[in-house]
C-alpha cells in the first residue's frame, strides 16, 4: 500500500476546511463547560479560607464554625467540599474546593494526611469504577487536580509534618507549596525562607508540581516568565476578605497602622502569579498531569493487584481440583482394601463350615 502525505504550499493550496477544527473543539468544550478540583491543606489559621475567597472573589466560608483549642486537641481531619459555578465571558467553570479542617491541629498529628490520602484515592477509585462501567459517557470527574499546601511563615523552613505529608501525597496529586501570610515577613526573610524551603524540598525528595519545560521555539519573554514562576516556589501569598479604601483607590488588602498591603500587588506578594498560573496558564496542565501521571499510576497499581488476585484464585482452585482427585483416589483404594477384607472373611467362613 502506498501512503502519500502531501503538503501544499500556500500558493497552490485547495481549501478543504480542516483549519476550523480548533473552532469545533472550542465550541464543544465551551458547551460542556470546565471542571477543576482544588484541595487546600495546612494548619488552622494559616489563611486558607481567606486566600480561596481572594483567589476566586467569592465568600465560600460564610457558615464556617472555627473550633476552639479544646475541640482541636483530639480533632481528626474532616473533608469538606464546596462547589461553585463561575461564568466569565460565556465560559462556565465548575470549581470544587476541598477543604481539610483539622489538618495538623491535634496533639498527635501522625496520621493527619491519611484522611487526605484516602480521599484522593477514593476519587481515583470512583473514576476507575465509572470508567469500567456502562455509563462512561456521563462520568463526573472528581479527581483532585491540585493541592495548595500552606506552610507556616513562623517556622524555620519546613516542619516534620510538612515533609511527611507532602511525601505521602506527592505521587497522587500536584502539590503547590505556599508560604502563608507573607505580609508577616520582611522581603529578605521571604527570600531566605523560599531558598531554604526549596533546598529542603529537594533534600527530602519531595516531588512537587513541575512546571512544564518550554519548547525551544517559544519566545524569550515566555521563557523568562516561566523561569520566574519556577524560581518563586513556594509562592509567598497574602489573602484578605475586605476591600481597603486608600488614596482614592479601592482594592483587596490589609490595613496596618504603618501602611496598607495590597493582595494583588506583585511587589507585595506572589498572589497574582499564583492566580494567573492556576487559572490562566496552567489549569489544563494540572489536569493533564493528574490524568496522565497520578491517575495512570493508580490505575496501573489497581490492575496489577487485580491480576495478582486472579492468579492466586486460579492457583487455589487448581490446588483444590488436585486435592479432590487425590481424595477420590484414596477413597477408591480404601474401598478396594475393604472389599478384599470382606472377601477373605467370607472365604474363611465357608472354609470353617
Ligand atoms: P484558615 O483557618 O487557614 O482557613 O485561616 P483563615 O482564612 O480563617 O484566617 C485566619 C486568620 O488569619 C484571620 O484572622 C484572617 O484575617 C487572617 N489572615 C488570613 N490571611 C492572612 C494573610 O495573608 N496575612 C495576615 N497577616 N493574616 C491573614
Amino acid at each position: 500500500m502506498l501512503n502519500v502525505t502531501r503538503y501544499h504550499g500556500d500558493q497552490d493550496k485547495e481549501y478543504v476546511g480542516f483549519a476550523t477544527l480548533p473552532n469545533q473543539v472550542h465550541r464543544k468544550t465551551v458547551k460542556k463547560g470546565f471542571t477543576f478540583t482544588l484541595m487546600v491543606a495546612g494548619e488552622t489559621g494559616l489563611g486558607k479560607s481567606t486566600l480561596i475567597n481572594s483567589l476566586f472573589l467569592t465568600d465560600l466560608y460564610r457558615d464556617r464554625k472555627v473550633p476552639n483549642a479544646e475541640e482541636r486537641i483530639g480533632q481528626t481531619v474532616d473533608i469538606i467540599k464546596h462547589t461553585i459555578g463561575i461564568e466569565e465571558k460565556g465560559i462556565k467553570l465548575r470549581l470544587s474546593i476541598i477543604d481539610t479542617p483539622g489538618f495538623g491541629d491535634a496533639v498527635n498529628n501522625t496520621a493527619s494526611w491519611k484522611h487526605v490520602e484516602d480521599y484522593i484515592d477514593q476519587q481515583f477509585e470512583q473514576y476507575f469504577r465509572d470508567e469500567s462501567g456502562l455509563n462512561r459517557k456521563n462520568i463526573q470527574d472528581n479527581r483532585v487536580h491540585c493541592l495548595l499546601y500552606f506552610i507556616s511563615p513562623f517556622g524555620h523552613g519546613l516542619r516534620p509534618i510538612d515533609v511527611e505529608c507532602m511525601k505521602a501525597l506527592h505521587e497522587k496529586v500536584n502539590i503547590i507549596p505556599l508560604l502563608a501570610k507573607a505580609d508577616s515577613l520582611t522581603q529578605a526573610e521571604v527570600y531566605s525562607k523560599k531558598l531554604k524551603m526549596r533546598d529542603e524540598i529537594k533534600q527530602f525528595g519531595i516531588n512537587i508540581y513541575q512546571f512544564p519545560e518550554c519548547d525551544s521555539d517559544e519566545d524569550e519573554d515566555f521563557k523568562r516568565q516561566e523561569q520566574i514562576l519556577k524560581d518563586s516556589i513556594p509562592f509567598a501569598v497574602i489573602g484578605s476578605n475586605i476591600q481597603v479604601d486608600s488614596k482614592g483607590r479601592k482594592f483587596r488588602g490589609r490595613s496596618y497602622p504603618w501602611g496598607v498591603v495590597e493582595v494583588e500587588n506583585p511587589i507585595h506578594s506572589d498572589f497574582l502569579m499564583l492566580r494567573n498560573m492556576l487559572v490562566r496558564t496552567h489549569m489544563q496542565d494540572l489536569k493533564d498531569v493528574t490524568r496522565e501521571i497520578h491517575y495512570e499510576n493508580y490505575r496501573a497499581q489497581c490492575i496489577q493487584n487485580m491480576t495478582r488476585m486472579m492468579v492466586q484464585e486460579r492457583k487455589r482452585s487448581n490446588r483444590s481440583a488436585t486435592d479432590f482427585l487425590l481424595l477420590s483416589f484414596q477413597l477408591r483404594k480404601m474401598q478396594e482394601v475393604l472389599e478384599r477384607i470382606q472377601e477373605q472373611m467370607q472365604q474363611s467362613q465357608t472354609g470353617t463350615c
Side-chain angles (χ1 to χ4, degrees):
M1 195 177 86
L2 189 63
N3 196 355
V4 183
T5 310
R6 212 178 292 146
Y7 295 102
H8 297 278
D10 268 359
Q11 64 281 10
D12 56 352
K13 195 164 118 185
E14 285 180 79
Y15 190 73
V16 177
F18 56 78
T20 65
L21 266 174
N23 301 350
Q24 295 174 36
V25 175
H26 176 83
R27 213 170 313 125
K28 229 176 154 178
T29 35
V30 165
K31 214 168 147 189
K32 235 169 90 182
F34 296 84
T35 57
F36 189 71
T37 301
L38 182 66
M39 185 180 242
V40 286
E43 73 190 64
T44 304
L46 282 184
K48 299 184 297 295
S49 353
T50 314
L51 190 84
I52 291 297
N53 284 342
S54 312
L55 278 175
F56 300 103
L57 307 177
T58 54
D59 189 6
L60 272 184
Y61 297 85
R62 238 168 293 137
D63 312 320
R64 175 183 178 212
K65 183 182 166 285
V66 179
N68 60 30
E70 196 186 354
E71 287 166 330
R72 280 162 48 191
I73 288 175
Q75 195 175 5
T76 52
V77 180
D78 286 330
I79 304 281
I80 299 177
K81 182 174 179 177
H82 307 264
T83 302
I84 43 167
I86 311 177
E87 190 167 341
E88 219 176 67
K89 295 184 182 169
I91 310 283
K92 290 190 198 109
L93 172 70
R94 192 175 66 93
L95 175 72
S96 300
I97 306 289
I98 314 293
D99 205 352
T100 54
F103 183 93
D105 288 352
V107 170
N108 179 2
N109 285 304
T110 37
S112 249
W113 56 89
K114 189 75 187 91
H115 293 266
V116 179
E117 189 181 357
D118 287 348
Y119 180 85
I120 296 173
D121 277 343
Q122 279 159 16
Q123 308 317 306
F124 281 152
E125 188 188 332
Q126 187 59 48
Y127 195 87
F128 185 60
R129 276 175 202 273
D130 290 350
E131 209 181 33
S132 344
L134 288 175
N135 195 11
R136 293 179 41 154
K137 255 187 173 172
N138 302 313
I139 299 180
Q140 214 185 31
D141 184 5
N142 290 317
R143 292 171 295 185
V144 182
H145 300 120
C146 177
L147 167 67
L148 294 182
Y149 189 84
F150 286 66
I151 305 167
S152 168
F154 309 118
H156 296 285
L158 301 180
R159 293 167 312 159
I161 187 180
D162 298 328
V163 175
E164 288 211 47
C165 172
M166 287 197 269
K167 280 190 86 160
L169 303 175
H170 67 178
E171 304 286 349
K172 297 171 188 267
V173 67
N174 295 312
I175 301 177
I176 298 182
L178 303 182
L179 178 55
K181 295 188 172 182
D183 57 328
S184 53
L185 301 169
T186 64
Q187 239 174 354
E189 283 169 338
V190 168
Y191 182 77
S192 65
K193 272 187 200 288
K194 279 186 174 197
L195 218 59
K196 185 155 198 274
M197 285 173 189
R198 279 206 298 272
D199 271 356
E200 287 175 333
I201 286 171
K202 211 170 178 184
Q203 180 195 334
F204 289 112
I206 302 168
N207 302 322
I208 55 169
Y209 170 65
Q210 293 298 315
F211 295 103
E213 288 303 321
C214 295
D215 290 334
S216 51
D217 58 351
E218 219 70 75
D219 70 82
E220 287 308 311
D221 192 38
F222 181 81
K223 283 186 193 164
R224 212 178 46 251
Q225 290 302 328
E226 287 291 298
Q227 196 52 48
I228 293 175
L229 210 55
K230 286 177 193 169
D231 295 341
S232 302
I233 287 286
F235 295 121
V237 290
I238 299 172
S240 167
N241 280 331
I242 52 163
Q243 295 272 337
V244 178
D245 217 332
S246 171
K247 294 180 189 160
R249 263 191 333 121
K250 253 189 159 184
F251 49 84
R252 238 174 220 262
R254 307 186 70 84
S255 178
Y256 295 105
W258 54 89
V260 182
V261 179
E262 291 178 47
V263 167
E264 297 193 14
N265 187 334
I267 298 170
H268 294 183
S269 83
D270 299 329
F271 173 89
L272 210 56
M273 198 187 285
L274 170 70
R275 180 153 77 192
N276 281 344
M277 176 252 136
L278 265 185
V279 182
R280 292 188 179 191
T281 53
H282 289 75
M283 188 179 269
Q284 193 51 48
D285 189 61
L286 286 163
K287 292 179 78 170
D288 289 346
V289 175
T290 303
R291 194 188 62 239
E292 289 163 14
I293 298 179
H294 301 307
Y295 176 63
E296 262 322 294
N297 281 346
Y298 175 85
R299 202 171 154 272
Q301 189 72 49
C302 253
I303 292 174
Q304 217 173 37
N305 288 348
M306 277 158 64
T307 316
R308 200 176 308 131
M309 269 162 60
M310 271 163 61
V311 170
Q312 275 172 354
E313 190 55 39
R314 202 169 305 146
K315 269 190 193 156
R316 213 177 14 243
S317 54
N318 278 352
R319 203 178 313 132
S320 46
T322 327
D323 287 351
F324 177 75
L325 282 176
L326 209 67
L327 198 67
S328 330
F329 179 74
Q330 282 171 342
L331 272 173
R332 213 171 30 228
K333 280 270 169 221
M334 278 165 71
Q335 228 166 352
E336 281 171 15
V337 173
L338 265 175
E339 280 168 9
R340 234 176 293 135
I341 292 172
Q342 268 177 342
E343 259 174 43
Q344 279 171 1
M345 279 172 69
Q346 273 173 0
Q347 274 171 9
S348 61
Q349 270 176 359
T350 43
T352 48
C353 285

Coordinates of all heavy atoms in Angstrom, one line a residue, residues 61-123:
Y61 N -16.9 30.6 52.7 CA -16.9 30.1 54.1 C -17.8 30.9 55.1 O -17.5 31.0 56.2 CB -15.5 30.2 54.6 CG -14.5 29.3 53.9 CD1 -13.9 29.8 52.7 CD2 -14.2 28.0 54.2 CE1 -13.1 29.0 51.9 CE2 -13.4 27.2 53.5 CZ -12.8 27.7 52.4 OH -12.0 26.9 51.6
R62 N -18.9 31.3 54.5 CA -19.9 32.1 55.3 C -20.3 31.4 56.6 O -20.4 32.0 57.7 CB -21.1 32.5 54.5 CG -21.3 34.0 54.3 CD -22.3 34.3 53.3 NE -21.8 33.9 51.9 CZ -22.5 33.3 51.0 NH1 -23.7 32.9 51.2 NH2 -22.0 33.0 49.8
D63 N -20.7 30.1 56.4 CA -21.3 29.4 57.6 C -20.2 28.6 58.4 O -20.6 27.7 59.1 CB -22.3 28.4 57.0 CG -23.3 29.0 56.1 OD1 -23.6 30.2 56.3 OD2 -23.6 28.4 55.0
R64 N -19.0 28.9 58.2 CA -18.0 28.1 58.9 C -17.9 28.4 60.4 O -18.0 29.5 60.8 CB -16.6 28.5 58.2 CG -15.4 27.9 58.8 CD -14.2 28.5 58.1 NE -13.0 28.0 58.7 CZ -11.9 28.7 58.7 NH1 -11.9 29.9 58.2 NH2 -10.8 28.1 59.2
K65 N -17.7 27.3 61.1 CA -17.6 27.4 62.6 C -16.1 27.0 62.9 O -15.7 25.8 62.7 CB -18.6 26.5 63.3 CG -18.6 26.6 64.8 CD -19.6 25.6 65.4 CE -19.3 25.5 66.9 NZ -18.2 24.6 67.2
V66 N -15.4 27.9 63.5 CA -14.0 27.6 63.8 C -13.9 26.9 65.2 O -14.4 27.5 66.2 CB -13.1 28.8 63.8 CG1 -11.6 28.5 64.2 CG2 -13.1 29.5 62.4
P67 N -13.4 25.7 65.4 CA -13.4 25.0 66.7 C -12.4 25.7 67.6 O -11.4 26.3 67.2 CB -12.9 23.6 66.4 CG -12.2 23.7 65.1 CD -12.8 24.9 64.3
N68 N -12.7 25.6 69.0 CA -11.8 26.2 69.9 C -10.6 25.3 70.2 O -10.6 24.1 69.7 CB -12.5 26.7 71.2 CG -13.2 25.5 71.9 OD1 -12.7 24.3 71.8 ND2 -14.3 25.7 72.5
A69 N -9.7 25.7 71.1 CA -8.5 25.0 71.3 C -8.8 23.6 71.9 O -8.2 22.6 71.5 CB -7.6 25.7 72.3
E70 N -9.8 23.5 72.8 CA -10.1 22.2 73.4 C -10.6 21.3 72.4 O -10.3 20.1 72.4 CB -11.2 22.5 74.5 CG -11.3 21.3 75.5 CD -12.5 21.5 76.4 OE1 -13.1 22.6 76.4 OE2 -12.8 20.6 77.1
E71 N -11.5 21.8 71.5 CA -12.1 20.9 70.5 C -11.0 20.4 69.5 O -11.1 19.3 68.9 CB -13.2 21.7 69.7 CG -14.4 21.9 70.5 CD -15.3 22.9 69.8 OE1 -14.9 23.8 69.2 OE2 -16.6 22.8 70.0
R72 N -10.0 21.2 69.4 CA -8.9 20.8 68.4 C -7.9 19.8 68.9 O -7.2 19.2 68.1 CB -8.2 22.1 67.9 CG -9.0 22.8 66.8 CD -8.6 24.3 66.6 NE -7.2 24.4 66.5 CZ -6.6 25.6 66.5 NH1 -7.3 26.7 66.7 NH2 -5.3 25.7 66.4
I73 N -7.9 19.6 70.2 CA -6.8 18.7 70.8 C -6.9 17.3 70.2 O -5.9 16.8 69.7 CB -6.9 18.7 72.3 CG1 -6.5 20.0 72.9 CG2 -6.1 17.5 72.9 CD1 -6.6 20.1 74.4
G74 N -8.1 16.8 70.1 CA -8.2 15.4 69.6 C -8.9 15.4 68.3 O -9.4 14.3 67.8
Q75 N -8.9 16.5 67.6 CA -9.6 16.6 66.3 C -9.0 15.7 65.2 O -7.8 15.6 65.1 CB -9.6 18.1 65.8 CG -10.6 18.4 64.7 CD -10.6 19.8 64.4 OE1 -9.8 20.6 64.9 NE2 -11.5 20.2 63.5
T76 N -9.9 15.2 64.4 CA -9.4 14.4 63.3 C -9.7 15.3 62.1 O -10.4 16.3 62.1 CB -10.2 13.1 63.1 OG1 -11.6 13.4 63.1 CG2 -9.8 12.1 64.1
V77 N -9.1 14.9 60.9 CA -9.2 15.8 59.8 C -10.6 15.5 59.1 O -10.9 14.4 58.8 CB -8.1 15.5 58.8 CG1 -8.2 16.3 57.5 CG2 -6.8 15.7 59.5
D78 N -11.4 16.6 58.9 CA -12.6 16.4 58.1 C -12.3 16.8 56.7 O -11.3 17.5 56.4 CB -13.6 17.5 58.6 CG -14.2 17.1 60.0 OD1 -14.3 15.9 60.2 OD2 -14.6 18.0 60.7
I79 N -13.2 16.3 55.8 CA -13.0 16.7 54.4 C -14.3 17.4 54.0 O -15.4 16.8 54.1 CB -12.8 15.5 53.5 CG1 -11.6 14.6 53.9 CG2 -12.7 15.9 52.0 CD1 -10.2 15.2 53.5
I80 N -14.2 18.6 53.6 CA -15.4 19.4 53.2 C -15.3 19.9 51.8 O -14.2 20.4 51.4 CB -15.7 20.6 54.2 CG1 -15.8 20.0 55.6 CG2 -16.9 21.4 53.8 CD1 -16.0 21.1 56.7
K81 N -16.4 19.6 51.1 CA -16.3 20.0 49.6 C -17.2 21.2 49.4 O -18.4 21.1 49.7 CB -16.7 18.8 48.8 CG -16.6 19.0 47.3 CD -16.8 17.7 46.6 CE -16.8 18.0 45.1 NZ -16.9 16.7 44.3
H82 N -16.7 22.2 48.8 CA -17.6 23.3 48.3 C -17.5 23.4 46.8 O -16.4 23.3 46.3 CB -17.0 24.7 48.8 CG -16.8 24.8 50.3 ND1 -17.6 25.3 51.2 CD2 -15.7 24.4 51.0 CE1 -17.1 25.3 52.4 NE2 -15.9 24.7 52.3
T83 N -18.7 23.5 46.2 CA -18.7 23.6 44.7 C -19.3 24.9 44.3 O -20.4 25.2 44.8 CB -19.4 22.4 44.1 OG1 -18.7 21.2 44.6 CG2 -19.3 22.4 42.6
I84 N -18.7 25.6 43.4 CA -19.3 26.8 42.9 C -19.2 26.9 41.4 O -18.3 26.3 40.8 CB -18.6 28.1 43.5 CG1 -17.1 28.0 43.4 CG2 -19.1 28.5 44.8 CD1 -16.4 29.3 43.6
G85 N -20.2 27.5 40.8 CA -20.2 27.6 39.3 C -19.7 29.1 39.1 O -20.3 30.0 39.6
I86 N -18.7 29.2 38.2 CA -18.3 30.6 37.9 C -18.4 30.7 36.4 O -18.2 29.8 35.6 CB -16.8 30.8 38.2 CG1 -16.5 30.3 39.7 CG2 -16.4 32.2 38.0 CD1 -15.0 30.5 40.1
E87 N -18.9 31.9 35.9 CA -19.1 32.1 34.5 C -18.3 33.4 34.1 O -18.5 34.4 34.8 CB -20.5 32.2 34.1 CG -20.7 32.1 32.6 CD -22.1 31.9 32.1 OE1 -22.9 31.4 32.9 OE2 -22.3 32.2 30.9
E88 N -17.5 33.4 33.1 CA -16.8 34.5 32.7 C -16.8 34.5 31.1 O -16.4 33.6 30.5 CB -15.4 34.4 33.2 CG -14.7 35.7 33.6 CD -13.4 35.5 34.2 OE1 -12.5 35.1 33.4 OE2 -13.2 35.6 35.4
K89 N -17.3 35.6 30.5 CA -17.4 35.7 29.1 C -18.0 34.5 28.4 O -17.5 34.0 27.4 CB -16.1 36.0 28.5 CG -15.5 37.4 28.9 CD -14.2 37.7 28.2 CE -13.6 39.0 28.7 NZ -12.3 39.2 28.3
G90 N -19.1 33.9 29.1 CA -19.8 32.8 28.5 C -19.1 31.4 28.8 O -19.6 30.4 28.4
I91 N -17.9 31.4 29.4 CA -17.2 30.2 29.7 C -17.6 29.8 31.2 O -17.4 30.6 32.1 CB -15.7 30.3 29.6 CG1 -15.3 31.0 28.3 CG2 -15.0 29.0 29.9 CD1 -15.3 30.1 27.1
K92 N -18.1 28.5 31.3 CA -18.5 28.1 32.6 C -17.4 27.2 33.2 O -16.9 26.3 32.6 CB -19.8 27.3 32.5 CG -21.0 28.1 32.1 CD -22.2 27.3 32.2 CE -23.4 27.9 31.5 NZ -23.7 27.1 30.3
L93 N -17.2 27.5 34.5 CA -16.2 26.6 35.3 C -16.9 26.1 36.5 O -17.4 26.9 37.3 CB -15.0 27.5 35.6 CG -14.0 26.8 36.6 CD1 -13.3 25.6 35.9 CD2 -12.9 27.8 37.1
R94 N -16.9 24.8 36.7 CA -17.4 24.3 38.0 C -16.2 24.0 38.8 O -15.4 23.1 38.6 CB -18.2 23.0 37.7 CG -19.0 22.5 38.9 CD -19.8 21.3 38.6 NE -19.0 20.1 38.3 CZ -18.6 19.2 39.2 NH1 -19.0 19.3 40.4 NH2 -17.8 18.2 38.8
L95 N -16.1 24.8 39.8 CA -14.9 24.8 40.7 C -15.2 24.1 42.0 O -16.2 24.5 42.7 CB -14.4 26.2 40.9 CG -13.2 26.3 41.9 CD1 -11.9 25.9 41.3 CD2 -13.1 27.8 42.3
S96 N -14.5 23.1 42.3 CA -14.7 22.4 43.6 C -13.5 22.7 44.5 O -12.3 22.5 44.1 CB -14.9 20.9 43.5 OG -16.0 20.6 42.6
I97 N -13.8 23.1 45.7 CA -12.7 23.3 46.7 C -12.8 22.3 47.8 O -13.9 22.1 48.4 CB -12.8 24.7 47.3 CG1 -12.9 25.8 46.3 CG2 -11.7 25.0 48.3 CD1 -11.6 26.1 45.6
I98 N -11.8 21.5 48.0 CA -11.8 20.5 49.0 C -11.0 21.1 50.2 O -9.8 21.3 50.1 CB -11.1 19.2 48.6 CG1 -11.7 18.8 47.2 CG2 -11.4 18.1 49.6 CD1 -13.1 18.4 47.1
D99 N -11.7 21.3 51.3 CA -11.1 21.8 52.5 C -10.7 20.7 53.5 O -11.5 19.7 53.5 CB -12.0 22.8 53.1 CG -11.3 23.8 53.9 OD1 -10.1 23.7 54.1 OD2 -11.9 24.8 54.4
T100 N -9.7 20.8 54.3 CA -9.3 19.8 55.2 C -9.2 20.3 56.6 O -8.1 20.3 57.2 CB -8.0 19.2 54.8 OG1 -7.0 20.3 54.7 CG2 -8.0 18.5 53.4
P101 N -10.3 20.9 57.2 CA -10.2 21.5 58.5 C -9.7 20.4 59.5 O -10.1 19.2 59.5 CB -11.6 21.9 58.9 CG -12.5 21.3 57.8 CD -11.7 20.9 56.7
G102 N -8.9 20.9 60.5 CA -8.3 19.9 61.5 C -7.0 19.4 61.1 O -6.3 18.8 61.9
F103 N -6.5 19.7 59.9 CA -5.2 19.2 59.5 C -4.1 19.8 60.3 O -4.0 21.0 60.4 CB -5.0 19.6 58.0 CG -3.7 19.0 57.4 CD1 -3.7 17.8 56.8 CD2 -2.6 19.7 57.6 CE1 -2.5 17.3 56.3 CE2 -1.4 19.2 57.1 CZ -1.4 18.0 56.4
G104 N -3.3 19.0 61.0 CA -2.2 19.4 61.8 C -2.6 20.1 63.1 O -1.7 20.7 63.7
D105 N -3.8 20.0 63.5 CA -4.3 20.8 64.6 C -4.2 20.0 65.9 O -4.1 20.5 67.0 CB -5.8 21.2 64.5 CG -5.9 22.4 63.5 OD1 -4.8 22.9 63.1 OD2 -7.0 22.7 63.1
A106 N -4.4 18.6 65.8 CA -4.5 17.8 67.0 C -3.1 17.7 67.7 O -2.1 18.1 67.2 CB -5.0 16.4 66.7
V107 N -3.1 17.1 68.9 CA -1.8 17.0 69.6 C -1.0 15.9 68.9 O 0.2 16.1 68.7 CB -2.1 16.6 71.1 CG1 -0.8 16.2 71.8 CG2 -2.7 17.7 71.9
N108 N -1.6 14.9 68.5 CA -0.9 13.8 67.7 C -1.3 13.9 66.3 O -2.5 13.6 65.9 CB -1.3 12.5 68.3 CG -0.6 11.3 67.6 OD1 0.2 11.6 66.6 ND2 -0.9 10.1 67.9
N109 N -0.4 14.4 65.4 CA -0.8 14.6 64.0 C -0.2 13.5 63.1 O -0.1 13.8 61.9 CB -0.3 16.0 63.6 CG -1.1 17.0 64.1 OD1 -2.3 17.0 63.9 ND2 -0.5 18.0 64.9
T110 N 0.2 12.4 63.7 CA 0.9 11.4 62.9 C 0.2 11.0 61.6 O 0.8 10.7 60.6 CB 1.3 10.1 63.7 OG1 0.2 9.9 64.6 CG2 2.6 10.3 64.5
A111 N -1.2 10.9 61.7 CA -1.9 10.5 60.5 C -2.8 11.5 60.0 O -3.8 11.3 59.3 CB -2.7 9.2 60.9
S112 N -2.4 12.8 60.1 CA -3.2 13.9 59.6 C -3.5 13.8 58.2 O -4.6 14.1 57.7 CB -2.5 15.2 59.8 OG -3.1 16.0 60.8
W113 N -2.5 13.3 57.4 CA -2.6 13.3 56.0 C -3.3 12.0 55.5 O -3.6 11.9 54.3 CB -1.2 13.4 55.3 CG -0.3 12.4 55.8 CD1 -0.1 11.1 55.2 CD2 0.6 12.4 56.9 NE1 0.8 10.4 56.0 CE2 1.2 11.2 57.0 CE3 0.8 13.4 57.8 CZ2 2.2 11.0 58.0 CZ3 1.8 13.2 58.8 CH2 2.4 12.0 58.9
K114 N -3.5 11.1 56.4 CA -4.1 9.8 56.0 C -5.5 10.0 55.4 O -5.8 9.4 54.4 CB -4.2 8.8 57.2 CG -4.6 7.4 56.9 CD -3.4 6.7 56.2 CE -3.9 5.3 55.7 NZ -4.3 5.3 54.4
H115 N -6.3 10.9 56.0 CA -7.6 11.2 55.5 C -7.6 11.8 54.2 O -8.4 11.5 53.3 CB -8.4 12.1 56.5 CG -8.7 11.5 57.8 ND1 -9.9 10.8 58.1 CD2 -7.9 11.4 58.9 CE1 -9.8 10.3 59.3 NE2 -8.7 10.7 59.8
V116 N -6.6 12.7 54.0 CA -6.4 13.4 52.8 C -6.1 12.4 51.7 O -6.6 12.4 50.6 CB -5.3 14.5 52.9 CG1 -5.1 15.2 51.6 CG2 -5.7 15.5 54.0
E117 N -5.1 11.5 52.0 CA -4.7 10.5 51.1 C -5.8 9.6 50.7 O -6.0 9.3 49.5 CB -3.6 9.7 51.8 CG -2.8 8.7 50.8 CD -1.8 7.9 51.6 OE1 -1.5 8.2 52.8 OE2 -1.2 7.1 50.9
D118 N -6.6 9.2 51.7 CA -7.8 8.3 51.4 C -8.8 9.0 50.5 O -9.3 8.3 49.6 CB -8.5 7.9 52.7 CG -7.7 6.9 53.5 OD1 -6.7 6.4 53.0 OD2 -8.0 6.7 54.7
Y119 N -9.0 10.2 50.8 CA -10.0 11.0 49.9 C -9.5 11.0 48.5 O -10.3 10.7 47.6 CB -10.1 12.4 50.5 CG -11.1 13.2 49.6 CD1 -12.5 13.1 49.9 CD2 -10.7 14.0 48.5 CE1 -13.4 13.8 49.1 CE2 -11.7 14.6 47.8 CZ -13.0 14.6 48.1 OH -13.9 15.2 47.3
I120 N -8.2 11.3 48.3 CA -7.7 11.3 46.9 C -7.8 10.0 46.2 O -8.3 9.9 45.1 CB -6.2 11.8 46.9 CG1 -6.2 13.3 47.4 CG2 -5.6 11.7 45.5 CD1 -4.7 13.8 47.7
D121 N -7.5 8.9 47.0 CA -7.6 7.6 46.4 C -9.1 7.2 46.1 O -9.4 6.6 45.1 CB -7.1 6.5 47.5 CG -5.6 6.4 47.4 OD1 -5.0 6.8 46.4 OD2 -5.0 5.9 48.3
Q122 N -10.0 7.6 47.0 CA -11.4 7.3 46.8 C -11.9 7.9 45.4 O -12.7 7.4 44.7 CB -12.3 7.8 47.9 CG -12.3 6.9 49.1 CD -12.7 7.7 50.4 OE1 -13.3 8.8 50.3 NE2 -12.4 7.1 51.5
Q123 N -11.4 9.1 45.2 CA -11.9 9.8 43.9 C -11.3 9.0 42.7 O -12.0 8.9 41.7 CB -11.4 11.3 43.8 CG -11.8 12.1 45.0 CD -13.2 11.8 45.5 OE1 -14.2 11.9 44.8 NE2 -13.3 11.5 46.8

